[in-house]
Amino acid sequence: MACGLLHHCHKQDNRIGDEGAARIADSLRGNLALKELHLQENCIGDEGARQLADLMCEPTALEVLQLGWNKIGEKGAGGLGGGLMGNAALKKLDLERNNIGNEGAGRIAAGLRSNTALEVLNLNLNGIGTEGAWRLSEGMHESMGLEELYLTGTKIGAAGMVRLRSRCGLLVVSRAQPRSGSCICRTWFRRNSSIYSNEMVC
């Protein structure tokens, strides 16, 4: 499971679960070489996320953490939010297609309040609604580091979009998916942009 002194570690689609995530976290303690850790599609749940979050609180050079397509819920999101509070290196956190919901989004937002390093946060397909968007806007308003927030496949609604754009100075791009399902549906936000776009990509 160890990633040794590699700069990039790819362990996606290995179904390592929480135990495997814990072993990887242990192997990386004190590692100042690794820049990217890719753990997508590994059946990692809340406990595994908490183990990785503990790693984020230690001295690390890790800039990219990919945890998409796992089984992380609001408790795991809470751990990761705590990890963000004490982290000055991570630039991208990908949690696409987990199950953090509104509560988990709020816990991530709490971590953003004291984080200035994170630039990209992917929360696509996480069951986040308007409440979650509201709580994210609060965290992002206080953290000026985050540049891009991805919320494809969520239910933040028009009110959530307006809140994120007005509260955080974010560009809002919404791509609607037609009934035929032949086009890509994306919703993302970029801070301090003078360009606004509403488009559909097929």
Side-chain angles (χ1 to χ4, degrees), residues 47-66:
E47 183 55 36
R50 282 198 291 262
Q51 294 288 334
L52 293 165
D54 288 344
L55 180 67
M56 290 164 57
C57 295
E58 300 181 8
T60 177
L62 192 65
E63 296 180 352
V64 177
L65 179 57
Q66 297 271 12

Side-chain angles (χ1 to χ4, degrees), residues 1 3 22 34 42 47 56 58 61 64 68-69 100 109-110 124 126 143 149 155 165 181 194:
M1 291 289 181
C3 291
L34 190 69
N42 268 303
E47 183 55 36
M56 290 164 57
E58 300 181 8
V64 177
W69 296 73
I100 70 170
N124 291 342
N126 264 286
S143 170
L149 171 65
K155 299 179 180 179
R165 191 179 188 198
S194 60

Side-chain angles (χ1 to χ4, degrees), residues 3-191:
C3 291
L5 296 178
L6 298 173
H7 292 292
H8 300 79
C9 182
H10 295 261
K11 297 283 186 181
Q12 58 264 46
D13 198 17
N14 278 290
R15 302 190 179 279
I16 63 174
D18 288 340
E19 183 177 350
R23 290 181 180 178
I24 287 177
D26 286 341
S27 75
L28 292 176
R29 298 193 191 284
N31 186 318
L32 298 179
L34 190 69
K35 298 287 187 181
E36 297 187 13
L37 179 58
H38 298 257
L39 296 175
Q40 304 98 308
E41 296 185 85
N42 268 303
C43 300
I44 297 171
D46 289 338
E47 183 55 36
R50 282 198 291 262
Q51 294 288 334
L52 293 165
D54 288 344
L55 180 67
M56 290 164 57
C57 295
E58 300 181 8
T60 177
L62 192 65
E63 296 180 352
V64 177
L65 179 57
Q66 297 271 12
L67 291 173
W69 296 73
N70 280 294
K71 298 180 178 180
I72 300 168
E74 62 183 53
K75 291 181 180 179
L80 291 168
L84 287 173
M85 290 182 183
N87 185 279
L90 196 69
K91 295 181 179 180
K92 179 179 180 179
L93 176 60
D94 189 334
L95 290 170
E96 180 170 331
R97 203 174 183 88
N98 280 279
N99 192 32
I100 70 170
N102 289 330
E103 182 62 32
R107 295 183 182 188
I108 293 288
L112 290 174
R113 288 190 173 95
S114 56
N115 181 289
T116 58
L118 195 70
E119 298 174 358
V120 180
L121 177 60
N122 185 347
L123 298 178
N124 291 342
L125 301 166
N126 264 286
I128 298 171
T130 301
E131 178 189 346
W134 195 273
R135 296 176 72 172
L136 283 167
S137 73
E138 291 299 313
M140 292 181 66
H141 178 68
E142 296 182 35
S143 170
M144 297 307 295
L146 194 68
E147 295 289 340
E148 296 182 17
L149 171 65
Y150 292 80
L151 289 168
T152 295
T154 59
K155 299 179 180 179
I156 61 173
M161 285 187 181
V162 170
R163 173 72 176 185
L164 283 162
R165 191 179 188 198
S166 62
R167 182 74 170 160
C168 310
L170 295 169
L171 164 72
V172 182
V173 179
S174 178
R175 295 177 180 170
Q177 186 171 20
R179 292 179 183 177
S180 65
S182 60
C183 297
I184 298 171
C185 171
R186 290 182 180 173
T187 303
W188 57 278
F189 303 81
R190 178 173 291 158
R191 193 189 298 273

